[in-house]
Structure formats: C-alpha cells, structure tokens
Amino acid sequence: MQRLIKNLNYFWNKFKDNKGQFWEELEEQLVTSDISISTAGKMLDEVKDYVYRENINDSGKVKALLKKQIIEILNGNKDHKLNIPAARPAVILVVGVNGVGKTTAVAKLAKLFKEEGKKVLISAADTYRSAAVEQIQYYAEKLGLDMVSHQKLSDPGAVVYDSIEKAKARNIDVVIIDTAGRMQTSYNLMEELKKIKKVINKRIGREVDEILLVVDSTTGQNAKNQAELFNNALNLTGIILTKVDSASKGGIVITIKHDLGIPIKMVSNGEKMEDIFQFDAVRFTELIFS
Amino acid sequence: MFDQLTAKFENLFFKIRNKGKINPGDLDSALREIKLALLEADVNFKVVKEFLENVKAKAIGEKILESLTPYQQVVKIVNEEIIRMLGSSSGSISFVPKGPTVIMTVGLQGSGKTSSVIKLANFLKARFQKKVSVVAADIYRPAAVLQLEDMAKNIGVDVYSNENLDPVSISVKGLELFKKSGSDVVIIDTAGRLHIDENMMEEIVNIKKKVSPHQIYLVLDAMTGQEAVNIASSFNQKVECDGIILTKLDSDTRGGAALSVYYVVKKPIKFVSNGEKVEDFDIFYPDRIASRILGKGDVMTLVEKAEKAVSKKEAKRIEEKIYKNELNFEDFVGQLKSIKKIGSLDKIFSMIPMAGKNKMLKKVNFDDSHLDRIEAIINSMTVEERRRPHIINGSRKKRIAKGSGSTVSEVNRLLKQFSKTRQMLKQFSGQKGKFNMPFGNF
C-alpha cells in the first residue's frame, strides 16, 4: 500500500508537469505486462480522450479508468465458469504448445473435480513425448483417478475413443484429455487435433464441452498467434493461464480476450496440486499494475 | 522465425524506398514503426528505447537525410544495430584438452531443457565425434528422468540417474562415473525452476560449486515475453552463464527475446532448437537472422543445408539429365529424399528471401505428408515405369493406385505434374551452368 501511494504520487507529479511522459510511462507499464502494443494503444487513446474531455487532473483517477477498462474487456459477455453439462460424461479437451504446463494443469483440474465429488477419468492422449504417459500416470495414481492410455506413438484419436467408451461404461462424470504439445504452425499436428475433436463429438453426440488452450504467462506476443490458430482449428471455449507465479504478468490474455473473444477460465501457479483457481478479472488487473 | 518482424521492415522500407529522399518527419515515422515492430516482436521495452536512440543518433550522424540513398542507409544502420544486439560471436564451443568437458543447462519449467540436452548431445556427437553422456538431475517433475533416459536411448547416449540422491550429489556421482568411463562431454540436465525462486536458484549454485562446469547454458523459449531479460539476468547473476540455447524457433514467434537478452546480459546465443526432430538443432548465426529480419532471407542456411544433403556429383548428374530432358521418376524420388533431408517444406520456404511476400506461397499449406504420398505412388511403380513414365497406361495406373493406397486420379495428377515439371526444368536449363541447385525451381 505504501508503495502504491508512493507510485501514485510519483505519477501525479509527472502528470502535472509533463503529460507526455506520464502517458509514456503508463504505456510502458502496460506493454511490459505483455499486453499487445495495439491493445495498449487503443485503451490509452480512449482513456486520454476521456481525460481531456472531462478535464481530469488526477493520475489516480486516470489509472482507475484504465483498470476499469481492462476489467471490462476481461469480464465482457463471456462466462468464466467451466461448462459442465448435465449429460454424462462431460468432456474437457486440453491443448497447447510444448512446455506450457498442460499435463500439470490436467492433473490440477482433475483434483478440483474430484474434490467436488465428481468421478474423473484422465485420457492420456499425448502419445508422442517420451514419458508423457508416465508423468500423467504418476498424477492419476497419486490422486486415485481412472486413466486410459495406449502405447507410445499410438493414435491419440483411438485413446480418446477408448476413454469415452470406458467413461460411459464406468459412469464417469468428467473426462479430461491431455494432448501432446504442438506448435500452432504445424499443419499436420493441428489436423490431428481436429480429428480428435471429431471423434469426441461423434461419441458424445454434441460439441465438446470445453476446449481449453493452456497459455504460459511467460509467453509474449506469440500467445495471441497460438490462440488464433488453435481457435481456427478447434473453436476454443477458454484459456487456462499457467505459471502466474513467475513474475511475468501474462497481459497478452487481455489482447486475446479483446481481439478474439476467448475468455480466461482458470489460472494455475506453482507445483502444488491445489494451486488452480477460477479466473478473477479484478485480481488479475491489480497484478498488471503491481 | 522472425517472419512478422521481417514483414514489418519490408513494408516500412518499401514505403521509404518509393520516396527516394526522406525528410525528418519520415525518419520519425520510420522510427515509430520500428518501435512498434520491435515491441510486437517481444523485444524488451527498455531495449527498444535504447535501440531507437542508437539508430537515430547514427542516422543523424551519417547525414542520411542528405543522402541520395536514404533507404539503403537506414537499412544498413538498422541491420548493424540488430546484429550488434544479437551479439557478434557465432556459437563456437571449446572442449577442455583433458577429461570430460562438463556442460550444465538451466532454465524455467517448460523452456525445453531436456529436449535441448538431447539435441545438443546428438549435435556434439555428430559434428565433433564426441562421446557424450548425460546426467539426470531433475528429481522434481514426475517422469522427467524417464523422459531423458528414453530420449537418450534413441541417440545412443548413456544416462546417469539415481532416485535416492539429491540433485547436487547426482551431479557429482554422475560426473565421477563418466570421468572413469572416458566420456568427452558430460551434460547435466537440471530441473526447471523459476528465476525468482530463491531456494531452487540456490540449488544450481550448489551444483555449480561442486562440479565446476566448463560451460553453463541458459535454455530460453524464443516465445518468451518482456520478462526474458529478467530471467536471463537472474540466472546469469546466480551461475554466470556462458551462452543461451534458444528453443521453439519453429513456431511463428517473432523472437524478440533473442534480441533483448544478449543486449542486456551480454551473453551470446549459442544454439537454436527449431523442431520436433532431434536433428532440429544448430549453431546460431546473428548475421543471418538479422538479414532475415530485413527481408533478405536466410539463404546461407539453406545453401549449407542443401550442400549437406546433396552431393555435388549427384547435382551434376541431375543437371545433365534435365538438360537432355531425360529426368525420370527414379531421379524424382531421389530429389524428394534430398529435400526431406534438408527439412520440412515450410522450413525450407521460410529460408527463401521474400517468400513471406509471395502471395502464391502464402496460400500453400506446406504439408510434408504430400511428399510421402508422392513417394508412395512412385514406390509402387516398377523400375521400368519409373525410368520410362510414358509407358504407364490405364491398367498400370490402376495397379499403382492400388499398391500405394491412392486413387487413379491422384496417380494421373502426379504424372501430369511430372511432365510439366520436366518441361519447365528443360526451359530453365537453357541457362546451363547456372542451374546447380537441383530443387531451385520449386
């Protein structure tokens, strides 16, 4: 709090004698959070307009306006809650590029559902990476969850098919599918995901309930390309933002929501299994300015 | 890699070039464009500021406004500045004369350490004929050791692991073991850690104290955002890194992190990793990447890769055949294999100058599975058919289609394409002697 007041005073002084520099420093604060320069520019322009029109001379108010704007973008017209329908089993497909923390996020989600009293099955559809199955198996055993896996390099579509059939037979509430990491630019691997989606849709007779892209907070502008291309291929329903304890702010998700309309649904940090939360726009925005 | 930054600069300079002479306003708007381009490329905010100041100072100093070739001047200055930002040395690696050279890799979770360790091991084996061993010091992530062991087995490299010891003791024991077994290089794969996690950072300091690695590499994801400089600074402060391995360059990342990291920590980017295959790993060439950014294309890399994949003699033979219009399917399949050795199609195209600008190329999905299909069709032909494609009639087509799991129309398409290509190549080979890259006319 002390620091915040100090900061605000600092900005206020800047604001009075040199508005140009004040705006530049606000821009810096936004841009260093990894929000895109175009989103930052647009927001600042709107706030600037308002400030000059209303003749606002208080840097604190300016900042509050900016925060309000970010919260509006993040909260706008989409629900942050995971969609778990009455039909059984609900299916959650988890996708993303390499190394963003998909497997850990899958395990954390599974634990969350289990604690709600749901029966969870993990589908180990990353048949590509060495020891990926063993990694998720470790979590499944630790958490006491059902898991379906096939041999390494086998067809992930078949794993998914098998998982849903088993889930039906065993009265499972939620199936969470862990897929192999892939670059959004890899045509073949993106086609593979489309195929997986088709398999699920056919088996459950409706659209997949959740298709979640895992985004690493430390990623910069490329996260938007990721969201765009994964969305083109799959119609994403939401984002899981991981590694939020990493000192990176993950501001690019504001741009993703602003430009593509994909909501952030969950945030995850740390290595403990319980460190996963529903996304909170207000808290997130405070972090951007901390 | 760096595609979009390249596109930005291409546009910018296209505008300036058309005007011939530029005025001070032009320079400011050029600098503003560069600022946006660099920020969109994830170059660190502070680095961008300094970069712009340097470019501006130089531009004014060299009086480009009065120059008749302001475009070339600005390009030259930006080019030089980017090369300077990327560091001057290309990734040379020095081996100690006696005993194993010890390399330690460090980095955040998910940056690609384990894959990089395996790729580096494979690279040192292939390029320098070294006996390489690895030590599995990641005891935290479930199945991390198993992953390393599995990948190491594929490239024929020994692994030391011990689930009853802590990472420091594992490193010490592993090194002892591989000293005895006569390894030339020992690579220690440490666990991923956050640069702000004091305890975990202490662990790598302790490993460093105990095994005194000759080289410490920071593995950095090329998609990293503004925090990249802090990540690099923190690791560098704790263990004094010798260089950086930049990973995931096969994405469409603009890779600005590479630009800022050297600028801030003054440690060279030694290697780049850019694909799923173990061979997708190479030395980093700052000048080549800078020319990519400016739209000149990474021709040097392409040429080098082509030279590795195609022998001169073979190229000469193909050239003769094209000249005599005798190219047949046997040659064609040989060419396909050469292309595959160079890399995936989209990777090859990314190295061709201005390929990003070519509308036709933009629309094409460079799907390598097409190559596989073509190869399957050709493989289903008899030797006679491959040598004399014109004998392929209806019933032969049916057989070929069946044998390759394709359709008659696919076979037809290939035959048609082939005869067209042959025609085209014949025309090009009019300029005999200049045509020495077998796939030059793709």
Side-chain angles (χ1 to χ4, degrees):
Chain A
M1 199 60 206
Q2 277 294 319
R3 212 178 118 207
L4 186 70
I5 291 166
K6 218 174 118 197
N7 265 344
L8 285 181
N9 285 337
Y10 173 76
F11 277 116
W12 172 228
N13 290 331
K14 294 271 179 195
F15 188 58
K16 270 193 304 197
D17 52 60
N18 191 340
K19 282 187 183 159
Q21 202 177 345
F22 169 79
W23 292 115
E24 197 182 309
E25 281 173 33
L26 265 189
E27 183 190 45
E28 172 169 355
Q29 199 155 30
L30 288 176
V31 168
T32 49
S33 84
D34 285 321
I35 191 172
S36 84
I37 181 74
S38 67
T39 316
K42 242 179 249 164
M43 289 196 314
L44 283 174
D45 282 348
E46 276 173 39
V47 172
K48 244 187 234 179
D49 268 3
Y50 188 79
V51 163
Y52 287 125
R53 205 170 53 231
E54 305 288 317
N55 202 15
I56 294 170
N57 258 332
D58 175 346
S59 69
K61 270 189 190 154
V62 178
K63 260 196 167 179
L65 276 170
L66 205 53
K67 281 184 188 173
K68 205 175 134 229
Q69 225 183 352
I70 295 177
I71 293 167
E72 267 168 26
I73 291 174
L74 289 170
N75 273 340
N77 68 30
K78 283 264 167 81
D79 200 356
H80 301 305
K81 278 217 181 83
L82 291 174
N83 167 37
I84 304 299
R88 289 288 174 269
V91 179
I92 300 177
L93 179 63
V94 179
V95 299
V97 302
N98 312 63
V100 288
K102 279 179 301 302
T103 305
T104 312
V106 164
K108 287 180 177 183
L109 268 183
K111 182 169 190 285
L112 204 64
F113 284 119
K114 199 194 169 194
E115 274 161 9
E116 287 176 10
K118 294 194 167 73
K119 274 179 86 178
V120 185
L121 182 143
I122 292 178
S123 174
D126 179 356
T127 57
Y128 185 80
R129 182 166 62 87
S130 292
V133 173
E134 284 82 354
Q135 185 184 353
I136 192 83
Q137 192 167 19
Y138 165 89
Y139 290 124
E141 276 166 18
K142 204 173 148 198
L143 300 169
L145 300 169
D146 265 345
M147 186 179 105
V148 171
S149 65
H150 290 182
Q151 266 178 340
K152 207 189 158 207
L153 299 181
S154 61
D155 173 20
V159 179
V160 169
Y161 181 101
D162 202 13
S163 303
I164 295 176
E165 289 311 297
K166 291 223 165 84
K168 284 178 182 166
R170 294 177 198 166
N171 247 334
I172 293 287
D173 296 308
V174 186
V175 177
I176 309 178
I177 302 166
D178 183 27
T179 60
R182 67 201 72 218
M183 289 301 159
Q184 69 274 20
T185 45
S186 165
Y187 178 80
N188 289 340
L189 294 178
M190 294 305 278
E191 287 299 304
E192 182 188 274
L193 276 186
K194 284 189 201 167
K195 201 188 122 197
I196 290 176
K197 184 183 170 180
K198 259 188 214 155
V199 169
I200 306 170
N201 287 356
K202 209 167 168 194
R203 297 324 299 165
I204 62 176
R206 62 176 190 277
E207 286 288 317
V208 188
D209 302 300
E210 287 284 355
I211 305 178
L212 302 173
L213 176 72
V214 179
V215 171
D216 182 335
S217 294
T218 48
T219 306
Q221 304 301 306
N222 192 256
K224 195 198 152 188
N225 300 22
Q226 293 168 18
E228 203 162 6
L229 293 180
F230 274 97
N231 193 42
N232 288 348
L234 300 168
N235 271 331
L236 298 173
T237 60
I239 300 234
I240 303 179
L241 186 64
T242 58
K243 309 184 195 175
V244 289
D245 51 343
S246 66
S248 291
K249 308 250 167 86
I252 191 66
V253 296
I254 303 170
T255 298
I256 292 175
K257 178 72 202 301
H258 182 265
D259 292 4
L260 305 168
I262 305 165
I264 303 94
K265 295 209 164 168
M266 305 298 291
V267 292
S268 149
N269 65 1
E271 283 163 354
K272 276 189 236 120
M273 279 296 106
E274 37 294 325
D275 290 340
I276 190 161
F277 311 95
Q278 201 174 314
F279 177 72
D280 179 339
V282 178
R283 270 181 67 188
F284 180 82
T285 307
E286 287 301 328
L287 269 176
I288 296 272
F289 286 91
S290 70
Chain B
M1 78 180 95
F2 296 102
D3 283 351
Q4 295 165 56
L5 188 53
T6 305
K8 276 262 167 191
F9 278 132
E10 276 174 12
N11 263 332
L12 174 64
F13 291 127
F14 187 72
K15 271 189 226 155
I16 298 179
R17 188 173 44 192
N18 280 354
K19 288 176 92 171
K21 226 173 160 187
I22 61 175
N23 58 42
D26 285 337
L27 183 62
D28 277 345
S29 70
L31 291 177
R32 210 162 29 240
E33 285 282 339
I34 294 172
K35 176 186 165 186
L36 292 182
L38 293 175
L39 284 176
E40 277 174 27
D42 291 320
V43 180
N44 181 268
F45 197 87
K46 293 198 174 75
V47 177
V48 172
K49 265 188 170 171
E50 273 194 58
F51 179 81
L52 292 178
E53 273 160 27
N54 289 340
V55 170
K56 196 169 183 180
K58 279 196 180 161
I60 291 167
E62 290 178 19
K63 299 188 174 159
I64 64 151
L65 299 183
E66 292 157 32
S67 155
L68 284 173
T69 55
Y71 160 69
Q72 282 89 336
Q73 299 268 357
V74 176
V75 173
K76 198 173 140 252
I77 293 168
V78 173
N79 196 22
E80 282 169 1
E81 275 305 299
I82 290 176
I83 292 177
R84 210 170 63 80
M85 281 167 78
L86 286 166
S88 50
S89 73
S90 66
S92 59
I93 182 162
S94 52
F95 301 100
V96 292
K98 251 183 105 184
T101 303
V102 182
I103 298 173
M104 176 162 97
T105 58
V106 296
L108 297 188
Q109 288 96 338
S111 54
K113 277 177 305 306
T114 302
S115 301
S116 296
V117 164
I118 292 299
K119 287 175 171 183
L120 177 63
N122 188 59
F123 178 83
L124 297 178
K125 244 182 101 181
R127 186 74 63 99
F128 299 100
Q129 286 76 48
K130 297 289 180 191
K131 188 182 174 208
V132 187
S133 311
V134 295
V135 175
D138 178 359
I139 57 165
Y140 305 100
R141 183 162 62 87
V145 173
L146 202 64
Q147 181 189 355
L148 189 69
E149 284 172 345
D150 192 39
M151 293 170 93
K153 208 165 80 191
N154 289 337
I155 60 163
V157 156
D158 287 336
V159 181
Y160 176 78
S161 66
N162 189 330
E163 56 188 63
N164 299 316
L165 295 179
D166 62 281
V168 180
S169 313
I170 291 171
S171 306
V172 172
K173 279 263 160 92
L175 184 56
E176 267 170 27
L177 180 82
F178 291 130
K179 252 184 197 162
K180 276 186 206 141
S181 71
S183 290
D184 301 316
V185 181
V186 176
I187 309 177
I188 300 170
D189 182 29
T190 63
R193 65 203 71 225
L194 289 177
H195 56 298
I196 51 171
D197 185 334
E198 285 296 328
N199 292 335
M200 287 297 284
M201 291 300 275
E202 233 15 75
E203 182 190 282
I204 48 171
V205 172
N206 287 333
I207 296 178
K208 182 185 173 178
K209 265 188 208 150
K210 284 279 159 58
V211 301
S212 321
H214 302 97
Q215 304 265 311
I216 297 176
Y217 296 143
L218 170 68
V219 179
L220 186 77
D221 185 333
M223 300 186 280
T224 310
Q226 293 285 321
E227 187 69 8
V229 290
N230 295 334
I231 295 166
S233 307
S234 302
F235 276 99
N236 193 42
Q237 260 169 25
K238 285 286 179 190
V239 292
E240 178 84 49
C241 301
D242 298 277
I244 287 149
I245 300 177
L246 197 63
T247 61
K248 305 185 201 174
L249 269 172
D250 50 330
S251 70
D252 53 355
T253 180
R254 289 164 252 184
L259 290 171
S260 27
V261 162
Y262 177 80
Y263 199 77
V264 171
V265 297
K266 307 283 181 247
K267 299 294 175 186
I269 294 158
K270 292 245 177 191
F271 302 101
V272 297
S273 161
N274 57 358
E276 298 262 1
K277 281 193 225 123
V278 73
E279 301 83 24
D280 294 331
F281 189 83
D282 205 354
I283 287 170
F284 178 72
Y285 298 99
D287 45 343
R288 292 183 192 179
I289 304 256
S291 38
R292 287 182 73 104
I293 294 171
L294 291 172
K296 294 181 203 154
D298 192 7
V299 180
M300 285 304 289
T301 304
L302 186 59
V303 171
E304 238 176 42
K305 285 203 166 186
E307 275 172 359
K308 259 191 262 167
V310 187
S311 74
K312 282 220 170 89
K313 220 171 117 195
E314 169 70 5
K316 187 84 193 147
R317 193 181 70 82
I318 297 284
E319 195 188 327
E320 286 296 326
K321 283 207 150 187
I322 290 170
Y323 188 62
K324 293 183 191 153
N325 207 9
E326 279 174 1
L327 197 71
N328 61 35
F329 274 116
E330 274 189 335
D331 307 316
F332 201 60
V333 112
Q335 295 293 298
L336 284 183
K337 289 209 173 104
S338 304
I339 289 167
K340 278 190 179 165
K341 267 191 238 164
I342 297 172
S344 66
L345 281 182
D346 50 359
K347 214 175 283 168
I348 293 171
F349 277 104
S350 77
M351 290 186 267
I352 298 173
M354 300 301 278
K357 276 263 182 230
N358 189 317
K359 274 188 196 145
M360 206 179 79
L361 289 181
K362 255 187 190 166
K363 276 188 205 150
V364 183
N365 272 321
F366 299 119
D367 180 1
D368 292 324
S369 70
H370 288 319
L371 288 190
D372 295 337
R373 290 192 81 83
I374 290 173
E375 213 178 327
I377 294 175
I378 298 173
N379 283 337
S380 298
M381 295 175 184
T382 64
V383 176
E384 188 61 16
E385 284 163 352
R386 275 181 237 162
R387 289 192 183 146
R388 301 168 57 218
H390 64 270
I391 65 165
I392 301 176
N393 57 19
S395 67
R396 282 176 191 263
K397 279 177 196 164
K398 259 186 219 155
R399 197 206 70 245
I400 293 167
K402 213 170 167 196
S404 58
S406 58
T407 60
V408 172
S409 69
E410 272 178 285
V411 176
N412 271 332
R413 206 178 312 144
L414 176 65
L415 288 172
K416 212 167 156 188
Q417 263 176 2
F418 180 73
S419 86
K420 257 195 194 161
T421 310
R422 203 151 76 156
Q423 276 296 311
M424 205 171 76
L425 289 176
K426 169 79 179 140
Q427 280 167 16
F428 274 105
S429 66
Q431 325 156 354
K432 202 168 168 260
K434 278 184 188 167
F435 184 77
N436 49 19
M437 226 148 68
F439 47 85
N441 294 308
F442 233 82

